[in-house]
Amino acid sequence: MDASTVEKAYALSRERYAAHGVDVDAALAALRTLSLSLPCWQGDDVRGFEKTKEPAIAGAIQATGNHPGRARTADELRQDLKMAISLIPGSHRVNLHAIYGEFGGKPVARNEVEPEHFRGWLTWAKAERLKLDFNATCFSHPKAAQGFTLSSPEKETRRFWIDHVRRCRRIAAFLGRELKTAAVHNLWIPDGSKDLPFDRWTPRLLLKESLDEIFMTEYSPSVMKDSLESKLFGIGSESYVVGSHEFYLGYALAKRKIICLDLGHFHPTESVADKISALLQFFDELLLHLSRPVRWDSDHIVILDDEMRRLAEEVVRGRALGRVHLALDFFDASMNRVGALVIGARAVLKAFLLALLQPQEKLREAEADGDHFLRLALFEDAKTLPGGAVWDQYCLQQDVPLDCEWHKNIHEYERTVLRRR
Ligand code: RNT
Ligand code: ZN
C-alpha cells in the first residue's frame, strides 16, 4: 500500500473518531511514549551463553519447539534483536538475564557475574540507542535442582543465590547508570514444591531474610529499580510456591519495591487487568510481564486478545502509562523466533492504541448518567471503529512496514540468516 492511501484512510478515520469525541493525534502522541522491554530470551529458548561444565538443568522454565535458527552467541542474538526492532514502531528496551553475559568461553559461576560481562551489550545498546533491563537467573542450574534457591534449607545454597542476585543488581545499576535510564531488575525464583509440603512457613521466612540481605545495598532509583515477581504454580511447584502473590505483595509494600504481575501467573479466571487500579492506589509503579497463558503459564506469544486489551484499557483509563513498566515475557521455539517477538510487540502496541482510541469522555458521561445501555453500546461500537487505519499511519510515521508487509522481511531473514546457522 502506498503512503498516500495510508494518509487518506487516516484522514477518514480521524473524522470518524472525532465524531466520537476522540482526538486521534493525541492518541498517537501518547503511543509514541510507550517503550516496551523486549525479552532477549525469546531468541534462544532461554538458554543463555554460560559455558558451564555441567549441562544446564531443565525444569521450571520450559521452552517447547525446535524451529531452526536459534541464536547461539551474543552477536547472533543482537543481530536478531536488531532485525526485530526494525519492524516494531517506536523506541524500546531490551531485557537481559544474567545467563546472557559474554563470558569469553570460560565457565563463570553465577555468583561471580560482573558488569564487565555485559560490556558488549552496553556498547551495542548505546550504538542502537536502546535502554536495558536486567534479571537475575535463579533457575536452570544444578543449585536450583532441589527446587529451592533463596529459600533453600541449606545455608550454602542460599548464600550462593543471595550473592548471585546482589551481583545482578549491581550489573543492573551499572547498565542504568551508563545508559542514563534506570534499569528494572526483576527477580523471579522457582522455589516451591511439587507435592504437599508439611512446612509452608520456614521457606517464606528464609526468603524474607534472603531478600533483606539482598536489598541491604541501596541504589539510586535513577540507575536501577527492584521488582519482585510472584507465581501461582509452576512445573515442579504445583502444590506450593514460596514467592506467592501475597508474599511479594506484602514484601513490596513494606519495603517499597515494585511488584511484577505476569499475565500467566494467576488463576486462569483471575483478571490481571482488574488488579492495576487496586495496586496503583498503594504503589507508585508496576511491572507487567506480558505473556499469554494457554490453559496454564505456557508463555505463548502475546496476541491482541481480550485480556491484553483489557489490560491496556485499564492502564489508559487510569492515566497510568507513566507508572507501568511493560515487559514482554514469552518464549516460543516452535516458529521463527524473530517473527514471534515482532508479533508480540506489535500486538501490545495495538492493544494500547485501541485503548487510547476508545471514546473515553462519552463512556465516562454515560456511566455518570447511569445510562448503562449507552455505556455498553459505546463499548460495542468502539470495537469496529477504524483503528487499523490509525495503526497504519503510526507505522508509516515511524518508518516501519505496515501489517501484511513485514512478513516477507521475516521470511527473507529466515532464508538468508537463520537457516544458515
Ligand atoms: C517465569 C517468569 C519469569 C521468566 C523470565 C525468563 O515463570 O515468568 O519472568 O519467564 O524471567
Ligand atoms: Zn514473567
PDB file of all heavy atoms in Angstrom, residues 283-297:
ATOM      1  N   PHE A 283       0.988   1.627  45.273  1.00  0.00           N
ATOM      2  CA  PHE A 283       2.337   1.609  44.703  1.00  0.00           C
ATOM      3  C   PHE A 283       2.476   2.774  43.721  1.00  0.00           C
ATOM      4  O   PHE A 283       1.492   3.188  43.108  1.00  0.00           O
ATOM      5  CB  PHE A 283       2.574   0.307  43.936  1.00  0.00           C
ATOM      6  CG  PHE A 283       2.693  -0.907  44.823  1.00  0.00           C
ATOM      7  CD1 PHE A 283       1.576  -1.673  45.133  1.00  0.00           C
ATOM      8  CD2 PHE A 283       3.916  -1.290  45.337  1.00  0.00           C
ATOM      9  CE1 PHE A 283       1.674  -2.794  45.936  1.00  0.00           C
ATOM     10  CE2 PHE A 283       4.030  -2.418  46.155  1.00  0.00           C
ATOM     11  CZ  PHE A 283       2.907  -3.165  46.452  1.00  0.00           C
ATOM     12  N   ASP A 284       3.706   3.242  43.561  1.00  0.00           N
ATOM     13  CA  ASP A 284       3.934   4.290  42.557  1.00  0.00           C
ATOM     14  C   ASP A 284       4.019   3.700  41.163  1.00  0.00           C
ATOM     15  O   ASP A 284       3.638   4.334  40.182  1.00  0.00           O
ATOM     16  CB  ASP A 284       5.248   5.028  42.841  1.00  0.00           C
ATOM     17  CG  ASP A 284       5.181   5.765  44.168  1.00  0.00           C
ATOM     18  OD1 ASP A 284       4.062   6.144  44.563  1.00  0.00           O
ATOM     19  OD2 ASP A 284       6.230   5.920  44.820  1.00  0.00           O
ATOM     20  N   GLU A 285       4.589   2.491  41.086  1.00  0.00           N
ATOM     21  CA  GLU A 285       4.846   1.885  39.768  1.00  0.00           C
ATOM     22  C   GLU A 285       4.535   0.395  39.792  1.00  0.00           C
ATOM     23  O   GLU A 285       4.515  -0.213  40.857  1.00  0.00           O
ATOM     24  CB  GLU A 285       6.339   2.018  39.419  1.00  0.00           C
ATOM     25  CG  GLU A 285       6.826   3.421  39.257  1.00  0.00           C
ATOM     26  CD  GLU A 285       8.351   3.463  39.231  1.00  0.00           C
ATOM     27  OE1 GLU A 285       8.924   3.102  38.197  1.00  0.00           O
ATOM     28  OE2 GLU A 285       8.953   3.843  40.247  1.00  0.00           O
ATOM     29  N   LEU A 286       4.368  -0.162  38.634  1.00  0.00           N
ATOM     30  CA  LEU A 286       4.146  -1.602  38.492  1.00  0.00           C
ATOM     31  C   LEU A 286       4.976  -2.106  37.324  1.00  0.00           C
ATOM     32  O   LEU A 286       5.229  -1.362  36.380  1.00  0.00           O
ATOM     33  CB  LEU A 286       2.700  -1.892  38.097  1.00  0.00           C
ATOM     34  CG  LEU A 286       1.584  -1.924  39.127  1.00  0.00           C
ATOM     35  CD1 LEU A 286       0.284  -2.262  38.399  1.00  0.00           C
ATOM     36  CD2 LEU A 286       1.878  -2.957  40.200  1.00  0.00           C
ATOM     37  N   LEU A 287       5.346  -3.378  37.386  1.00  0.00           N
ATOM     38  CA  LEU A 287       5.933  -4.017  36.208  1.00  0.00           C
ATOM     39  C   LEU A 287       4.941  -5.063  35.717  1.00  0.00           C
ATOM     40  O   LEU A 287       4.433  -5.855  36.515  1.00  0.00           O
ATOM     41  CB  LEU A 287       7.270  -4.693  36.580  1.00  0.00           C
ATOM     42  CG  LEU A 287       7.893  -5.634  35.541  1.00  0.00           C
ATOM     43  CD1 LEU A 287       8.235  -4.908  34.248  1.00  0.00           C
ATOM     44  CD2 LEU A 287       9.163  -6.285  36.100  1.00  0.00           C
ATOM     45  N   LEU A 288       4.654  -5.039  34.428  1.00  0.00           N
ATOM     46  CA  LEU A 288       3.760  -6.057  33.869  1.00  0.00           C
ATOM     47  C   LEU A 288       4.571  -6.978  32.966  1.00  0.00           C
ATOM     48  O   LEU A 288       5.326  -6.498  32.104  1.00  0.00           O
ATOM     49  CB  LEU A 288       2.641  -5.388  33.061  1.00  0.00           C
ATOM     50  CG  LEU A 288       1.681  -4.503  33.873  1.00  0.00           C
ATOM     51  CD1 LEU A 288       0.701  -3.794  32.941  1.00  0.00           C
ATOM     52  CD2 LEU A 288       0.924  -5.320  34.917  1.00  0.00           C
ATOM     53  N   HIS A 289       4.445  -8.275  33.191  1.00  0.00           N
ATOM     54  CA  HIS A 289       5.044  -9.245  32.279  1.00  0.00           C
ATOM     55  C   HIS A 289       3.962  -9.696  31.322  1.00  0.00           C
ATOM     56  O   HIS A 289       3.045 -10.420  31.703  1.00  0.00           O
ATOM     57  CB  HIS A 289       5.620 -10.444  33.046  1.00  0.00           C
ATOM     58  CG  HIS A 289       7.070 -10.293  33.337  1.00  0.00           C
ATOM     59  ND1 HIS A 289       7.865 -11.309  33.797  1.00  0.00           N
ATOM     60  CD2 HIS A 289       7.887  -9.221  33.182  1.00  0.00           C
ATOM     61  CE1 HIS A 289       9.102 -10.864  33.919  1.00  0.00           C
ATOM     62  NE2 HIS A 289       9.142  -9.602  33.565  1.00  0.00           N
ATOM     63  N   LEU A 290       4.079  -9.241  30.087  1.00  0.00           N
ATOM     64  CA  LEU A 290       3.052  -9.508  29.093  1.00  0.00           C
ATOM     65  C   LEU A 290       3.335 -10.854  28.447  1.00  0.00           C
ATOM     66  O   LEU A 290       4.367 -11.053  27.793  1.00  0.00           O
ATOM     67  CB  LEU A 290       3.028  -8.379  28.068  1.00  0.00           C
ATOM     68  CG  LEU A 290       2.894  -6.994  28.717  1.00  0.00           C
ATOM     69  CD1 LEU A 290       3.078  -5.895  27.698  1.00  0.00           C
ATOM     70  CD2 LEU A 290       1.554  -6.856  29.424  1.00  0.00           C
ATOM     71  N   SER A 291       2.430 -11.765  28.699  1.00  0.00           N
ATOM     72  CA  SER A 291       2.591 -13.129  28.248  1.00  0.00           C
ATOM     73  C   SER A 291       1.208 -13.628  27.880  1.00  0.00           C
ATOM     74  O   SER A 291       0.226 -12.931  28.087  1.00  0.00           O
ATOM     75  CB  SER A 291       3.177 -13.946  29.405  1.00  0.00           C
ATOM     76  OG  SER A 291       3.564 -15.220  28.959  1.00  0.00           O
ATOM     77  N   ARG A 292       1.107 -14.846  27.347  1.00  0.00           N
ATOM     78  CA  ARG A 292      -0.224 -15.384  27.070  1.00  0.00           C
ATOM     79  C   ARG A 292      -0.306 -16.809  27.589  1.00  0.00           C
ATOM     80  O   ARG A 292       0.288 -17.711  27.012  1.00  0.00           O
ATOM     81  CB  ARG A 292      -0.533 -15.346  25.571  1.00  0.00           C
ATOM     82  CG  ARG A 292      -1.908 -15.971  25.235  1.00  0.00           C
ATOM     83  CD  ARG A 292      -2.339 -15.628  23.828  1.00  0.00           C
ATOM     84  NE  ARG A 292      -1.321 -15.927  22.855  1.00  0.00           N
ATOM     85  CZ  ARG A 292      -1.407 -16.908  21.930  1.00  0.00           C
ATOM     86  NH1 ARG A 292      -2.480 -17.655  21.845  1.00  0.00           N
ATOM     87  NH2 ARG A 292      -0.428 -17.093  21.068  1.00  0.00           N
ATOM     88  N   PRO A 293      -1.014 -16.956  28.682  1.00  0.00           N
ATOM     89  CA  PRO A 293      -1.179 -18.311  29.197  1.00  0.00           C
ATOM     90  C   PRO A 293      -2.223 -19.043  28.371  1.00  0.00           C
ATOM     91  O   PRO A 293      -3.283 -18.491  28.075  1.00  0.00           O
ATOM     92  CB  PRO A 293      -1.685 -18.089  30.623  1.00  0.00           C
ATOM     93  CG  PRO A 293      -2.329 -16.751  30.617  1.00  0.00           C
ATOM     94  CD  PRO A 293      -1.698 -15.941  29.513  1.00  0.00           C
ATOM     95  N   VAL A 294      -1.908 -20.245  27.931  1.00  0.00           N
ATOM     96  CA  VAL A 294      -2.922 -21.065  27.263  1.00  0.00           C
ATOM     97  C   VAL A 294      -3.141 -22.273  28.170  1.00  0.00           C
ATOM     98  O   VAL A 294      -2.297 -23.150  28.263  1.00  0.00           O
ATOM     99  CB  VAL A 294      -2.458 -21.513  25.863  1.00  0.00           C
ATOM    100  CG1 VAL A 294      -3.487 -22.432  25.204  1.00  0.00           C
ATOM    101  CG2 VAL A 294      -2.226 -20.290  24.977  1.00  0.00           C
ATOM    102  N   ARG A 295      -4.201 -22.249  28.906  1.00  0.00           N
ATOM    103  CA  ARG A 295      -4.561 -23.243  29.926  1.00  0.00           C
ATOM    104  C   ARG A 295      -3.676 -23.208  31.160  1.00  0.00           C
ATOM    105  O   ARG A 295      -4.083 -23.543  32.244  1.00  0.00           O
ATOM    106  CB  ARG A 295      -4.595 -24.669  29.375  1.00  0.00           C
ATOM    107  CG  ARG A 295      -5.529 -24.792  28.207  1.00  0.00           C
ATOM    108  CD  ARG A 295      -5.824 -26.234  27.876  1.00  0.00           C
ATOM    109  NE  ARG A 295      -6.590 -26.322  26.654  1.00  0.00           N
ATOM    110  CZ  ARG A 295      -7.890 -26.109  26.594  1.00  0.00           C
ATOM    111  NH1 ARG A 295      -8.582 -25.837  27.685  1.00  0.00           N
ATOM    112  NH2 ARG A 295      -8.507 -26.177  25.439  1.00  0.00           N
ATOM    113  N   TRP A 296      -2.420 -22.804  30.991  1.00  0.00           N
ATOM    114  CA  TRP A 296      -1.516 -22.661  32.140  1.00  0.00           C
ATOM    115  C   TRP A 296      -0.455 -21.651  31.740  1.00  0.00           C
ATOM    116  O   TRP A 296      -0.535 -21.049  30.676  1.00  0.00           O
ATOM    117  CB  TRP A 296      -0.924 -24.029  32.531  1.00  0.00           C
ATOM    118  CG  TRP A 296       0.027 -24.596  31.518  1.00  0.00           C
ATOM    119  CD1 TRP A 296      -0.296 -25.041  30.277  1.00  0.00           C
ATOM    120  CD2 TRP A 296       1.446 -24.730  31.645  1.00  0.00           C
ATOM    121  NE1 TRP A 296       0.833 -25.460  29.620  1.00  0.00           N
ATOM    122  CE2 TRP A 296       1.913 -25.302  30.450  1.00  0.00           C
ATOM    123  CE3 TRP A 296       2.366 -24.460  32.666  1.00  0.00           C
ATOM    124  CZ2 TRP A 296       3.259 -25.578  30.233  1.00  0.00           C
ATOM    125  CZ3 TRP A 296       3.701 -24.750  32.446  1.00  0.00           C
ATOM    126  CH2 TRP A 296       4.131 -25.303  31.234  1.00  0.00           C
ATOM    127  N   ASP A 297       0.541 -21.470  32.585  1.00  0.00           N
ATOM    128  CA  ASP A 297       1.605 -20.488  32.313  1.00  0.00           C
ATOM    129  C   ASP A 297       2.507 -20.979  31.183  1.00  0.00           C
ATOM    130  O   ASP A 297       3.662 -21.323  31.399  1.00  0.00           O
ATOM    131  CB  ASP A 297       2.412 -20.290  33.609  1.00  0.00           C
ATOM    132  CG  ASP A 297       3.542 -19.299  33.440  1.00  0.00           C
ATOM    133  OD1 ASP A 297       3.358 -18.329  32.687  1.00  0.00           O
ATOM    134  OD2 ASP A 297       4.614 -19.496  34.037  1.00  0.00           O
TER     135      ASP A 297
END
